[in-house]
Amino acid sequence: MRTSRFVVWADKKLHKAFGGRVSLVALAGLPSLRLTTTGRKSGLPRSTNLLYYPRGGDFVLTASNWGRPHDPAWALNLRTNPKCAVALAGKPVDVVARELHGEEYERMWAELLAFWPGYRMEQREANRPLPVFVLTRVAR
């Protein structure tokens, strides 16, 4: 988590150099996507590369923010406008986000910890529940 700034910087460089087909997460053998939300204040597109949990045809995102004590901007943007897009290897997919709560959150959280145990460490560091969003494809 201490190297997060370097990781984000390097990931942006890889994304630009390879047209979205390469990311550090993908190089590590994990599923990654590029999320584009609408800025809740600016109304402008905001993009970030993220690890995701593939679940059926859906994409599950955890707003860990590298263990920081506040939610990442993309999570705040999704709460304001859940219509967004993901790019997989540079190919765009329109999706709509839904934040999980209650029992549904607890079930998914257990799945997420089995998928990526590092979330437990990030949650401990952040000292907050880590929001979870399910992104579902929408017809173009």
Side-chain angles (χ1 to χ4, degrees):
M1 290 183 291
R2 292 183 181 142
T3 62
S4 66
R5 288 188 182 175
F6 170 75
V7 171
V8 170
W9 174 85
D11 208 35
K12 286 180 183 178
K13 297 291 184 188
L14 280 172
H15 183 270
K16 186 174 182 179
F18 292 96
R21 295 181 309 277
V22 177
S23 75
L24 286 177
V25 172
L27 289 174
L30 295 166
S32 69
L33 56 74
R34 185 162 181 88
L35 174 68
T36 301
T37 61
T38 301
R40 67 193 179 287
K41 294 179 183 176
S42 69
L44 298 173
R46 303 292 185 198
S47 297
T48 188
N49 298 335
L50 299 169
L51 167 68
Y52 77 95
Y53 172 50
R55 189 164 191 271
D58 293 337
F59 311 94
V60 181
L61 302 177
T62 305
S64 65
N65 204 16
W66 295 89
R68 292 185 182 105
H70 55 278
D71 292 345
W74 64 260
L76 303 176
N77 292 342
L78 288 179
R79 288 180 182 133
T80 300
N81 183 358
K83 292 179 183 176
C84 55
V86 298
L88 302 169
K91 297 184 171 116
V93 178
D94 290 331
V95 292
V96 65
R98 180 174 62 85
E99 188 169 0
L100 302 184
H101 299 281
E103 289 180 26
E104 189 177 27
Y105 174 91
E106 296 302 326
R107 285 192 303 275
M108 184 62 73
W109 183 246
E111 282 186 49
L112 287 165
L113 289 178
F115 167 71
W116 183 249
Y119 285 139
R120 186 178 314 278
M121 178 183 61
E122 290 181 78
Q123 183 182 43
R124 206 172 24 249
E125 184 76 19
N127 196 30
R128 63 180 169 86
L130 302 183
V132 174
F133 295 84
V134 174
L135 281 60
T136 304
R137 296 170 194 256
V138 295
R140 281 190 166 222

